[in-house]
Amino acid sequence: MSTVALPRLSAPIMACVLVLGTGCSAGSGDDSSLSIGFTAEPASLDFTTDDGVAIPEVLLTNVYEGLVELAPDGGIQPALADSWEVSDDRRTYTFELNSDVTFSNGESFTAEDVKFSIERAQEEWTISLADVMDVVDTVEVVSPTEVTVELSEPSNAWLYAMTTRVGAMFTPTGVDNLDTEPVGTGPYEVADWTRGDSITLQRRADYWGEQPATETVEFRYFDDENALTNAMLTGDLDVISALAAAESLDQFTGDDQYQVIEGTTNGEVVLGLNHERDALSDRRVRQAIAHAIDQEALLETVWAGHGELIGSMVPPTDPWYEDLSEVHPHDPDRAEDLLEEADAEDLTLDFPVPNLPYAMDTARVVQSDLEDVGITAEIEPLEFPAVWLEDVFTGHDYDMTVIQHSEGRDMPTFADPDYYWGYDNEDVQDLLAEADRSGGEEQTEHMAEAAELLAEDVAAVFLYLQPMLIVADSGVEGLPDNRVSESFDVTPLSRS
Amino acid sequence: MALRILRKGLIFLVSLGVASVVVFAFMAVLPGDPARVALGTNATPEAVAQMHERYGTDRPVLVQYWDWVSGLATGDFGRSYVSGAEIGPQILDRLQVTLWLVLSGMLVALLIALPLGVAAAMRHRHLSGTLLSGFSQLGVAVPNFLVGIMLITLFAVHLRWLPSGGWTAPAEDPGAFARRLVLPAVSLGLVQGAILTRYVRSAILDVLREDYLRTARAKGMRPYQALVRHGLRNAAIPVVTVLALQLATLLIGAVVIERVFVIPGLGSLLLDGVGNRDLLLVQGVVMVLVLAVLLLNFVVDVLYTALDPRIRMAAR
């Protein structure tokens, strides 16, 4: 790995320092480099053994590509595969590959690499996202540019997973040092990683597709939200990839120098209810909780009105989306009646919450809403991720919690009774399984029906969808409308 | 004297050993499983078990401790649970960054403390001297991260004279390096300078009361002249001692300041390690910090003994 000297404008900045007090922006005037701020640095660059979301955020699409990718509207579109066909029994996928694709280490990309990558995901990957590859029976190389994948049973989840990191294509000669030297087919390669500070992506000259406009993109990492916004305010950054707290937004709205882009994400913020607990196994109690919470007011308080009420585990970018936020409208009287019916007045609930800004803010509003109907929720802040994962997620030691579920199409977690919700509903399980097996319209219908069932049954209270709030210099173009993928795709970015 | 140094050396080694046990024990009882954190919300029990096996965290605690300590003795810090990278070189990298901070902070502290301390002592009966002491009291009370935040707000966000944070290695771009070092160094140095001012002041006051200085004054020297000619060297001994001990405080202060200024030094390595439950990494960083502090204390002790005959006598 070589060190790339960033084309920073030292002389003009020095001049500014000397002239004292003139506003100067480090990034402006150079259209071939961009600097983007993030809040979590990857611990390693190997997403085959480390679950961290920060890894695909920087590497997927930019450095690694899959056969297919997610379009901004949530659909599946071609990437390394030029096209694909599905057999009538929906078990055999035939991919036609683009030719002239090379990896960043110079190797050509062929059908052999597809076979290698899929089989490697089945055998070597340790993160459990790779379990979705269990459904693959065989991968057969037909020709260098044609490959067929045989599934043991039809699975929509499989093709969707191929758009995520699980579908990333590797070459056998490029997997020795995955944690520091990723080798992919994407338009960028990792040029430099200064741990604790930044990862620099450098545009590849031999990329098979259309060259991105920006030559170097620097992903800069800030543990602290204030440091992140300060860097943007001082011109050190061109883009903030995601604001974590709405109060930081005020500094940028109404200033022509900046643009604020608001869109949707896949991040459902859920009030998780532990169905293994007596009180919460009663549907009336769960409904009471749902009725007690004024979701609109909650969104206003926590996100200054940004974000979206969804009422289920489905973001608007999925085909089976339906606004279910009114299934249990805000109605404290109804909540009190339900609690009385269930003989659950004076209920006290454990409420461990991750110590993240959005979760703590949300929990406080929920606590006060519940108090109005006679439920005492005892908030306990837990360090995230370590302690929350151990106590709540693994230990199931909680009554209620607040957490964002950011994986795409993650409704099937409600079909697993061992998952930390402890939700065991055969109807939901059947519907979700059927949806995965069936195609087209039928899949959409089953998924929509399952979503409705979850909402009516209050499997959890689906509070809101985390907003995508990007702040950027007004001259930056090509920023996404919505965040639906694990990746922060920098290929369309440019500066006017 | 040799005996005294030997005894100090022994105390140093025992302290180091005790620290290693404490650090290891603390990590062992810290809630949160490293494998869980690395594998995330989709992890199956099998995957977690596999991860434990891979990193040897399924072995008895005593075996793990022995492996770790014997590794440390040979300079082998082991590999990170999370990234799989060797820990030793990472710590070395980050240590360089932190040392820049500490040394520049010390420089700023000296630039503040020497003139102010001397002035406060010379004018201790006057209002200006009292004001100076007051200022240093205030400085002592303010935590350096708060100073850092205030400096950023003023000089980076409002005036835009300097960057709000980040790091550039000196070899890469000396100009950018210097610009980025200014605010963190001042944040560290202001507070340390305030503390140091008080020591300089009292050392000078002590010297001023000495007979030889009174004699010099009686011979017709002006107060500053007498101090510079005869007093400063004597005042230096306690100040240098404090200075060395302050290095340890600065090192710990730098760990906090790195967070405020987004500087990739030991402090941010430590915090990331804690967040990721990268236990070996955290243990390694903490041990390096402990070693630095103990070593400084030891060296100061020895130098002090060697320099000041009175202490040598008392030790007998």
Side-chain angles (χ1 to χ4, degrees), chain A residues 91-113:
Chain A
R91 283 180 44 211
T92 311
Y93 287 73
T94 307
F95 295 94
E96 287 293 334
L97 308 179
N98 280 301
S99 48
D100 301 328
V101 177
T102 56
F103 286 94
S104 58
N105 67 355
E107 299 276 347
S108 310
F109 166 74
T110 67
E112 290 290 349
D113 298 307

Side-chain angles (χ1 to χ4, degrees), chain A residues 21 43 51 128 179 233 383 393, chain B residues 38-39 41-42 82 160-161 277:
Chain A
D51 184 67
S128 41
D179 53 349
L233 288 168
E383 188 208 334
F393 188 77
Chain B
L39 295 172
T41 52
N42 294 291
V82 181
R160 299 209 174 183
W161 292 355
R277 285 299 182 274

Side-chain angles (χ1 to χ4, degrees), chain A residues 213-258:
Chain A
T214 311
E215 193 181 337
T216 56
V217 181
E218 191 187 20
F219 284 62
R220 287 189 53 198
Y221 296 101
F222 300 80
D223 288 327
D224 184 75
E225 176 92 358
N226 285 323
L228 178 68
T229 48
N230 282 339
M232 188 74 206
L233 288 168
T234 53
D236 238 11
L237 284 178
D238 299 301
V239 180
I240 292 178
S241 65
L243 275 190
E247 55 264 29
S248 329
L249 201 61
D250 298 342
Q251 304 163 84
F252 303 105
T253 45
D255 186 336
D256 288 347
Q257 208 185 327
Y258 305 106

Side-chain angles (χ1 to χ4, degrees), chain B residues 112-278:
Chain B
I112 292 169
L114 289 184
L116 286 191
V118 171
M122 297 298 283
R123 306 192 58 84
H124 72 282
R125 286 182 215 284
H126 302 266
L127 179 66
S128 55
T130 316
L131 282 180
L132 280 175
S133 302
F135 156 78
S136 75
Q137 283 285 9
L138 185 73
V140 173
V142 181
N144 53 24
F145 71 87
L146 193 64
V147 175
I149 292 170
M150 293 191 309
L151 290 179
I152 290 175
T153 309
L154 182 60
F155 291 103
V157 176
H158 284 295
L159 298 173
R160 299 209 174 183
W161 292 355
L162 291 162
S164 62
W167 185 254
T168 310
E172 199 178 308
D173 181 348
F177 163 74
R179 278 198 311 280
R180 288 186 152 169
L181 191 61
V182 173
L183 289 184
V186 171
S187 317
L188 271 175
L190 267 183
V191 175
Q192 294 303 318
I195 297 170
L196 207 56
T197 302
R198 298 171 68 204
Y199 284 103
V200 173
R201 176 178 176 273
S202 69
I204 300 281
L205 275 179
D206 282 349
V207 170
L208 287 179
R209 293 194 191 100
E210 295 284 348
D211 292 339
Y212 58 81
L213 219 69
R214 210 177 307 147
T215 314
R217 289 289 308 280
K219 282 184 184 164
M221 277 191 180
R222 306 195 53 78
Y224 277 102
Q225 220 177 349
L227 185 70
V228 171
R229 284 261 175 92
H230 302 287
L232 278 188
R233 201 189 311 158
N234 289 295
I237 293 179
V239 171
V240 167
T241 314
V242 169
L243 202 66
L245 291 176
Q246 291 258 313
L247 268 176
T249 326
L250 268 173
L251 191 61
I252 307 304
V255 166
V256 179
I257 279 297
E258 283 170 16
R259 168 94 181 182
V260 178
F261 286 94
V262 204
I263 294 170
L266 274 188
S268 44
L269 187 66
L270 185 68
L271 284 171
D272 289 349
V274 171
N276 294 326
R277 285 299 182 274
D278 201 342

Side-chain angles (χ1 to χ4, degrees), chain A residues 40-325:
Chain A
E41 184 185 13
S44 109
L45 295 182
D46 183 1
F47 57 50
T48 74
T49 56
D50 189 321
D51 184 67
V53 289
I55 316 175
E57 191 164 55
V58 52
L59 296 182
L60 195 65
T61 314
N62 303 320
V63 173
Y64 291 111
E65 294 172 302
L67 299 178
V68 285
E69 65 182 13
L70 221 51
D73 67 357
I76 295 174
Q77 66 185 27
L80 286 176
D82 191 37
S83 62
W84 70 93
E85 270 171 33
V86 190
S87 65
D88 289 341
D89 65 357
R90 305 190 47 262
R91 283 180 44 211
T92 311
Y93 287 73
T94 307
F95 295 94
E96 287 293 334
L97 308 179
N98 280 301
S99 48
D100 301 328
V101 177
T102 56
F103 286 94
S104 58
N105 67 355
E107 299 276 347
S108 310
F109 166 74
T110 67
E112 290 290 349
D113 298 307
V114 178
K115 184 176 164 69
F116 169 76
S117 300
I118 293 177
E119 287 175 355
R120 192 168 183 280
Q122 288 179 306
E123 287 151 20
E124 308 267 325
W125 288 41
T126 56
I127 61 164
S128 41
L129 284 173
D131 291 352
V132 71
M133 285 293 182
D134 291 350
V135 75
V136 174
D137 248 358
T138 55
V139 184
E140 204 180 320
V141 174
V142 181
S143 77
T145 57
E146 191 178 328
V147 64
T148 58
V149 178
E150 188 92 33
L151 306 184
S152 55
E153 57 179 340
S155 169
N156 291 307
W158 179 74
L159 190 66
Y160 183 80
M162 289 300 284
T163 69
T164 69
R165 62 170 107 176
V166 182
M169 289 295 135
F170 295 83
T171 163
T173 57
V175 291
D176 293 339
N177 296 308
L178 282 181
D179 53 349
T180 51
E181 290 169 45
V183 176
T185 60
Y188 287 95
E189 59 188 323
V190 175
D192 182 46
W193 181 11
T194 308
R195 278 173 212 258
D197 185 64
S198 61
I199 294 175
T200 307
L201 300 184
Q202 169 82 33
R203 188 170 63 193
R204 282 177 57 196
D206 55 347
Y207 180 57
W208 62 278
E210 197 185 321
Q211 289 267 335
T214 311
E215 193 181 337
T216 56
V217 181
E218 191 187 20
F219 284 62
R220 287 189 53 198
Y221 296 101
F222 300 80
D223 288 327
D224 184 75
E225 176 92 358
N226 285 323
L228 178 68
T229 48
N230 282 339
M232 188 74 206
L233 288 168
T234 53
D236 238 11
L237 284 178
D238 299 301
V239 180
I240 292 178
S241 65
L243 275 190
E247 55 264 29
S248 329
L249 201 61
D250 298 342
Q251 304 163 84
F252 303 105
T253 45
D255 186 336
D256 288 347
Q257 208 185 327
Y258 305 106
Q259 51 175 327
V260 176
I261 299 174
E262 187 184 351
T264 64
T265 61
N266 275 338
E268 303 96 354
V269 175
V270 174
L271 179 69
L273 305 173
N274 187 351
H275 294 257
E276 286 160 10
R277 296 289 162 95
D278 278 346
L280 296 170
S281 64
D282 190 324
R283 176 172 142 142
R284 289 167 300 187
V285 175
R286 302 197 301 268
Q287 285 176 326
I289 292 174
H291 278 304
I293 299 169
D294 185 348
Q295 301 195 1
E296 206 136 329
L298 180 130
L299 208 51
E300 199 54 54
T301 313
V302 179
W303 280 105
H306 304 281
E308 210 152 324
L309 299 181
I310 43 176
S312 76
M313 199 67 168
V314 186
T317 40
D318 280 347
W320 41 86
Y321 169 75
E322 183 182 351
D323 181 359
L324 297 170
S325 59

